[in-house]
Amino acid sequence: TVDGAELLMSPGQYGGAPRAECPAGSTVVGTGFNGPFGGTVGGFVLAYGTFVGGFFANQSSIPLDGYVQAICAKLPPGATVASNRAKAAALTRYKRDVAAATARLRGTG
């Protein structure tokens, strides 16, 4: 299990959580999180191949912290790790998901 960096969010703050990256030669087999998902927020925690990303929003009146978790497993012998191209595509998908969640939260998506 790998934890992403902890993110302290002030009241009203929202955005993408720091990613949890699996070690080289591993892939994500599960996800976890500890973070603020209050109210009607379209938060998420998703696997993107070799990392886990998420979107948190603090709708409380106090600061809250959170992080995402990647549950990783070593690949079996002969299996290939995602190429740099696949990793770049996964990062692009994550950024697009964060932008969509931000738009929903702002009421523009």
Short mmCIF file of all heavy atoms in Angstrom, two decimals, residues 50-95:
data_model
loop_
_atom_site.label_atom_id
_atom_site.label_comp_id
_atom_site.label_asym_id
_atom_site.label_seq_id
_atom_site.Cartn_x
_atom_site.Cartn_y
_atom_site.Cartn_z
N THR A 50 -0.74 2.75 -13.07
CA THR A 50 0.32 2.62 -12.07
C THR A 50 0.20 3.63 -10.94
O THR A 50 1.07 3.70 -10.08
CB THR A 50 1.71 2.77 -12.73
OG1 THR A 50 1.79 4.07 -13.34
CG2 THR A 50 1.95 1.68 -13.76
N PHE A 51 -0.87 4.43 -10.94
CA PHE A 51 -1.08 5.38 -9.84
C PHE A 51 -2.55 5.55 -9.55
O PHE A 51 -3.42 5.17 -10.33
CB PHE A 51 -0.42 6.75 -10.13
CG PHE A 51 -1.11 7.57 -11.20
CD1 PHE A 51 -2.12 8.46 -10.88
CD2 PHE A 51 -0.71 7.47 -12.52
CE1 PHE A 51 -2.75 9.23 -11.86
CE2 PHE A 51 -1.32 8.23 -13.51
CZ PHE A 51 -2.34 9.11 -13.19
N VAL A 52 -2.84 6.11 -8.37
CA VAL A 52 -4.20 6.43 -7.95
C VAL A 52 -4.28 7.95 -7.82
O VAL A 52 -3.38 8.58 -7.28
CB VAL A 52 -4.56 5.75 -6.60
CG1 VAL A 52 -5.87 6.28 -6.05
CG2 VAL A 52 -4.62 4.25 -6.77
N GLY A 53 -5.36 8.51 -8.33
CA GLY A 53 -5.61 9.94 -8.21
C GLY A 53 -7.00 10.16 -7.62
O GLY A 53 -7.84 9.26 -7.61
N GLY A 54 -7.24 11.36 -7.13
CA GLY A 54 -8.54 11.65 -6.54
C GLY A 54 -8.86 13.12 -6.59
O GLY A 54 -8.02 13.95 -6.95
N PHE A 55 -10.09 13.44 -6.22
CA PHE A 55 -10.56 14.82 -6.15
C PHE A 55 -11.29 14.98 -4.83
O PHE A 55 -12.20 14.21 -4.52
CB PHE A 55 -11.53 15.10 -7.30
CG PHE A 55 -12.03 16.52 -7.33
CD1 PHE A 55 -11.30 17.51 -7.96
CD2 PHE A 55 -13.22 16.86 -6.72
CE1 PHE A 55 -11.74 18.82 -7.99
CE2 PHE A 55 -13.69 18.17 -6.74
CZ PHE A 55 -12.94 19.16 -7.38
N PHE A 56 -10.86 15.95 -4.05
CA PHE A 56 -11.46 16.23 -2.75
C PHE A 56 -12.01 17.65 -2.72
O PHE A 56 -11.52 18.52 -3.44
CB PHE A 56 -10.43 16.12 -1.62
CG PHE A 56 -9.83 14.76 -1.42
CD1 PHE A 56 -8.53 14.62 -0.97
CD2 PHE A 56 -10.56 13.61 -1.65
CE1 PHE A 56 -7.97 13.38 -0.75
CE2 PHE A 56 -10.01 12.35 -1.44
CZ PHE A 56 -8.71 12.24 -0.99
N ALA A 57 -12.99 17.87 -1.86
CA ALA A 57 -13.53 19.22 -1.64
C ALA A 57 -13.89 19.34 -0.16
O ALA A 57 -14.57 18.48 0.39
CB ALA A 57 -14.75 19.47 -2.50
N ASN A 58 -13.43 20.40 0.44
CA ASN A 58 -13.73 20.65 1.86
C ASN A 58 -14.91 21.61 1.94
O ASN A 58 -14.76 22.81 1.78
CB ASN A 58 -12.51 21.24 2.57
CG ASN A 58 -12.77 21.45 4.05
OD1 ASN A 58 -13.87 21.21 4.54
ND2 ASN A 58 -11.75 21.89 4.76
N GLN A 59 -16.08 21.06 2.23
CA GLN A 59 -17.29 21.87 2.37
C GLN A 59 -17.62 22.13 3.83
O GLN A 59 -18.72 22.50 4.15
CB GLN A 59 -18.45 21.18 1.66
CG GLN A 59 -18.24 21.12 0.15
CD GLN A 59 -19.42 20.51 -0.55
OE1 GLN A 59 -19.85 19.41 -0.21
NE2 GLN A 59 -19.95 21.22 -1.53
N SER A 60 -16.63 21.93 4.70
CA SER A 60 -16.85 22.17 6.13
C SER A 60 -16.35 23.56 6.50
O SER A 60 -15.82 24.29 5.67
CB SER A 60 -16.11 21.10 6.95
OG SER A 60 -14.73 21.38 6.99
N SER A 61 -16.47 23.88 7.77
CA SER A 61 -16.00 25.18 8.26
C SER A 61 -14.64 25.08 8.95
O SER A 61 -14.17 26.05 9.54
CB SER A 61 -17.03 25.77 9.23
OG SER A 61 -17.18 24.90 10.34
N ILE A 62 -14.02 23.90 8.88
CA ILE A 62 -12.70 23.70 9.50
C ILE A 62 -11.73 23.11 8.48
O ILE A 62 -12.16 22.48 7.51
CB ILE A 62 -12.80 22.76 10.73
CG1 ILE A 62 -13.32 21.39 10.30
CG2 ILE A 62 -13.66 23.38 11.82
CD1 ILE A 62 -13.26 20.33 11.37
N PRO A 63 -10.44 23.28 8.66
CA PRO A 63 -9.47 22.65 7.76
C PRO A 63 -9.55 21.12 7.88
O PRO A 63 -9.74 20.59 8.97
CB PRO A 63 -8.11 23.16 8.26
CG PRO A 63 -8.42 24.37 9.06
CD PRO A 63 -9.78 24.16 9.64
N LEU A 64 -9.42 20.44 6.76
CA LEU A 64 -9.42 18.98 6.71
C LEU A 64 -8.25 18.52 5.88
O LEU A 64 -7.83 19.20 4.94
CB LEU A 64 -10.72 18.46 6.09
CG LEU A 64 -12.01 18.76 6.83
CD1 LEU A 64 -13.21 18.33 6.00
CD2 LEU A 64 -12.03 18.06 8.18
N ASP A 65 -7.73 17.33 6.21
CA ASP A 65 -6.66 16.79 5.39
C ASP A 65 -7.11 15.49 4.75
O ASP A 65 -8.09 14.89 5.17
CB ASP A 65 -5.38 16.60 6.20
CG ASP A 65 -5.55 15.64 7.37
OD1 ASP A 65 -6.69 15.23 7.66
OD2 ASP A 65 -4.55 15.31 8.00
N GLY A 66 -6.40 15.09 3.73
CA GLY A 66 -6.74 13.85 3.06
C GLY A 66 -5.60 13.37 2.18
O GLY A 66 -4.65 14.10 1.90
N TYR A 67 -5.71 12.12 1.77
CA TYR A 67 -4.74 11.52 0.85
C TYR A 67 -5.40 10.33 0.17
O TYR A 67 -6.42 9.80 0.64
CB TYR A 67 -3.47 11.08 1.59
CG TYR A 67 -3.71 10.10 2.71
CD1 TYR A 67 -3.74 8.73 2.49
CD2 TYR A 67 -3.93 10.56 4.01
CE1 TYR A 67 -3.97 7.84 3.52
CE2 TYR A 67 -4.15 9.67 5.05
CZ TYR A 67 -4.17 8.31 4.80
OH TYR A 67 -4.41 7.44 5.83
N VAL A 68 -4.85 9.93 -0.96
CA VAL A 68 -5.31 8.74 -1.65
C VAL A 68 -4.30 7.63 -1.42
O VAL A 68 -3.15 7.88 -1.07
CB VAL A 68 -5.53 8.97 -3.17
CG1 VAL A 68 -6.62 9.98 -3.40
CG2 VAL A 68 -4.24 9.39 -3.86
N GLN A 69 -4.75 6.39 -1.61
CA GLN A 69 -3.89 5.22 -1.43
C GLN A 69 -3.95 4.35 -2.67
O GLN A 69 -5.01 4.19 -3.28
CB GLN A 69 -4.36 4.36 -0.26
CG GLN A 69 -4.22 5.00 1.08
CD GLN A 69 -4.79 4.11 2.17
OE1 GLN A 69 -5.88 3.55 2.03
NE2 GLN A 69 -4.05 3.97 3.26
N ALA A 70 -2.80 3.79 -3.02
CA ALA A 70 -2.73 2.79 -4.07
C ALA A 70 -2.39 1.45 -3.43
O ALA A 70 -1.45 1.36 -2.65
CB ALA A 70 -1.65 3.16 -5.09
N ILE A 71 -3.18 0.46 -3.71
CA ILE A 71 -2.88 -0.90 -3.30
C ILE A 71 -2.22 -1.54 -4.52
O ILE A 71 -2.85 -1.66 -5.57
CB ILE A 71 -4.14 -1.66 -2.86
CG1 ILE A 71 -4.80 -0.90 -1.71
CG2 ILE A 71 -3.80 -3.10 -2.48
CD1 ILE A 71 -6.21 -1.36 -1.39
N CYS A 72 -0.95 -1.86 -4.38
CA CYS A 72 -0.13 -2.27 -5.53
C CYS A 72 0.22 -3.74 -5.46
O CYS A 72 0.30 -4.33 -4.38
CB CYS A 72 1.16 -1.45 -5.55
SG CYS A 72 0.90 0.34 -5.50
N ALA A 73 0.44 -4.33 -6.62
CA ALA A 73 0.91 -5.71 -6.71
C ALA A 73 1.98 -5.78 -7.79
O ALA A 73 1.89 -5.09 -8.81
CB ALA A 73 -0.24 -6.65 -7.05
N LYS A 74 2.98 -6.61 -7.53
CA LYS A 74 4.01 -6.82 -8.53
C LYS A 74 3.40 -7.56 -9.71
O LYS A 74 2.55 -8.42 -9.53
CB LYS A 74 5.18 -7.62 -7.97
CG LYS A 74 6.01 -6.82 -7.00
CD LYS A 74 7.26 -7.56 -6.62
CE LYS A 74 8.06 -6.66 -5.70
NZ LYS A 74 9.41 -7.10 -5.53
N LEU A 75 3.87 -7.21 -10.88
CA LEU A 75 3.40 -7.89 -12.07
C LEU A 75 4.02 -9.28 -12.16
O LEU A 75 5.15 -9.49 -11.72
CB LEU A 75 3.78 -7.07 -13.31
CG LEU A 75 3.11 -5.71 -13.40
CD1 LEU A 75 3.72 -4.90 -14.53
CD2 LEU A 75 1.62 -5.87 -13.61
N PRO A 76 3.28 -10.24 -12.73
CA PRO A 76 3.84 -11.59 -12.86
C PRO A 76 4.99 -11.60 -13.86
O PRO A 76 5.08 -10.71 -14.71
CB PRO A 76 2.65 -12.42 -13.36
CG PRO A 76 1.70 -11.44 -13.94
CD PRO A 76 1.93 -10.14 -13.24
N PRO A 77 5.86 -12.60 -13.77
CA PRO A 77 6.97 -12.69 -14.72
C PRO A 77 6.45 -12.66 -16.16
O PRO A 77 5.44 -13.29 -16.49
CB PRO A 77 7.61 -14.04 -14.41
CG PRO A 77 7.22 -14.32 -12.99
CD PRO A 77 5.85 -13.70 -12.83
N GLY A 78 7.12 -11.90 -17.00
CA GLY A 78 6.72 -11.81 -18.40
C GLY A 78 5.73 -10.70 -18.69
O GLY A 78 5.54 -10.32 -19.85
N ALA A 79 5.08 -10.18 -17.68
CA ALA A 79 4.13 -9.09 -17.89
C ALA A 79 4.93 -7.80 -18.08
O ALA A 79 6.01 -7.64 -17.54
CB ALA A 79 3.19 -8.95 -16.71
N THR A 80 4.38 -6.89 -18.85
CA THR A 80 5.09 -5.64 -19.10
C THR A 80 4.45 -4.51 -18.32
O THR A 80 3.23 -4.47 -18.14
CB THR A 80 5.09 -5.28 -20.60
OG1 THR A 80 3.74 -5.21 -21.04
CG2 THR A 80 5.83 -6.31 -21.40
N VAL A 81 5.28 -3.61 -17.87
CA VAL A 81 4.82 -2.42 -17.18
C VAL A 81 4.33 -1.45 -18.24
O VAL A 81 4.77 -1.47 -19.38
CB VAL A 81 5.97 -1.80 -16.36
CG1 VAL A 81 5.54 -0.53 -15.67
CG2 VAL A 81 6.50 -2.80 -15.35
N ALA A 82 3.39 -0.58 -17.86
CA ALA A 82 2.86 0.41 -18.80
C ALA A 82 4.00 1.22 -19.41
O ALA A 82 4.95 1.59 -18.73
CB ALA A 82 1.88 1.32 -18.08
N SER A 83 3.88 1.47 -20.69
CA SER A 83 4.88 2.27 -21.39
C SER A 83 4.78 3.73 -20.96
O SER A 83 3.80 4.14 -20.35
CB SER A 83 4.66 2.18 -22.89
OG SER A 83 3.44 2.83 -23.23
N ASN A 84 5.81 4.49 -21.26
CA ASN A 84 5.77 5.92 -20.97
C ASN A 84 4.57 6.57 -21.64
O ASN A 84 3.95 7.48 -21.09
CB ASN A 84 7.06 6.60 -21.41
CG ASN A 84 8.21 6.26 -20.49
OD1 ASN A 84 8.01 5.86 -19.35
ND2 ASN A 84 9.42 6.42 -20.98
N ARG A 85 4.24 6.12 -22.82
CA ARG A 85 3.08 6.65 -23.55
C ARG A 85 1.78 6.37 -22.80
O ARG A 85 0.92 7.24 -22.67
CB ARG A 85 3.06 6.01 -24.93
CG ARG A 85 2.14 6.62 -25.90
CD ARG A 85 2.39 5.91 -27.20
NE ARG A 85 1.64 6.48 -28.27
CZ ARG A 85 1.74 6.08 -29.50
NH1 ARG A 85 2.57 5.12 -29.81
NH2 ARG A 85 1.02 6.63 -30.43
N ALA A 86 1.65 5.14 -22.28
CA ALA A 86 0.45 4.78 -21.53
C ALA A 86 0.38 5.57 -20.23
O ALA A 86 -0.70 5.99 -19.81
CB ALA A 86 0.42 3.28 -21.25
N LYS A 87 1.52 5.78 -19.59
CA LYS A 87 1.55 6.57 -18.36
C LYS A 87 1.15 8.01 -18.63
O LYS A 87 0.41 8.62 -17.85
CB LYS A 87 2.94 6.51 -17.72
CG LYS A 87 3.27 5.15 -17.13
CD LYS A 87 4.68 5.13 -16.57
CE LYS A 87 5.05 3.74 -16.09
NZ LYS A 87 6.41 3.69 -15.54
N ALA A 88 1.63 8.57 -19.73
CA ALA A 88 1.26 9.95 -20.10
C ALA A 88 -0.23 10.04 -20.38
O ALA A 88 -0.90 11.01 -19.98
CB ALA A 88 2.07 10.41 -21.30
N ALA A 89 -0.79 9.04 -21.05
CA ALA A 89 -2.22 9.02 -21.34
C ALA A 89 -3.03 8.93 -20.05
O ALA A 89 -4.07 9.58 -19.91
CB ALA A 89 -2.57 7.86 -22.27
N ALA A 90 -2.57 8.13 -19.09
CA ALA A 90 -3.26 8.00 -17.80
C ALA A 90 -3.23 9.32 -17.05
O ALA A 90 -4.24 9.74 -16.47
CB ALA A 90 -2.62 6.89 -16.96
N LEU A 91 -2.11 10.02 -17.10
CA LEU A 91 -2.01 11.32 -16.43
C LEU A 91 -2.95 12.33 -17.09
O LEU A 91 -3.61 13.10 -16.40
CB LEU A 91 -0.57 11.82 -16.46
CG LEU A 91 -0.29 13.11 -15.72
CD1 LEU A 91 -0.73 13.03 -14.26
CD2 LEU A 91 1.19 13.46 -15.80
N THR A 92 -3.06 12.29 -18.40
CA THR A 92 -3.98 13.16 -19.12
C THR A 92 -5.42 12.87 -18.72
O THR A 92 -6.21 13.78 -18.48
CB THR A 92 -3.80 13.00 -20.64
OG1 THR A 92 -2.47 13.40 -20.98
CG2 THR A 92 -4.80 13.83 -21.42
N ARG A 93 -5.79 11.58 -18.60
CA ARG A 93 -7.15 11.20 -18.17
C ARG A 93 -7.43 11.72 -16.77
O ARG A 93 -8.51 12.23 -16.49
CB ARG A 93 -7.34 9.68 -18.21
CG ARG A 93 -7.60 9.13 -19.58
CD ARG A 93 -8.10 7.68 -19.55
NE ARG A 93 -7.36 6.79 -18.66
CZ ARG A 93 -6.23 6.16 -19.00
NH1 ARG A 93 -5.71 6.31 -20.18
NH2 ARG A 93 -5.64 5.36 -18.14
N TYR A 94 -6.45 11.59 -15.87
CA TYR A 94 -6.62 12.07 -14.49
C TYR A 94 -6.84 13.58 -14.48
O TYR A 94 -7.76 14.08 -13.83
CB TYR A 94 -5.41 11.69 -13.64
CG TYR A 94 -5.42 12.29 -12.26
CD1 TYR A 94 -6.51 12.13 -11.42
CD2 TYR A 94 -4.35 13.01 -11.78
CE1 TYR A 94 -6.54 12.68 -10.14
CE2 TYR A 94 -4.35 13.56 -10.51
CZ TYR A 94 -5.45 13.38 -9.70
OH TYR A 94 -5.47 13.93 -8.44
N LYS A 95 -6.03 14.32 -15.21
CA LYS A 95 -6.19 15.78 -15.27
C LYS A 95 -7.56 16.16 -15.84
O LYS A 95 -8.21 17.09 -15.37
CB LYS A 95 -5.07 16.40 -16.09
CG LYS A 95 -3.74 16.35 -15.38
CD LYS A 95 -2.63 16.93 -16.25
CE LYS A 95 -1.30 16.89 -15.53
NZ LYS A 95 -0.20 17.42 -16.35
#
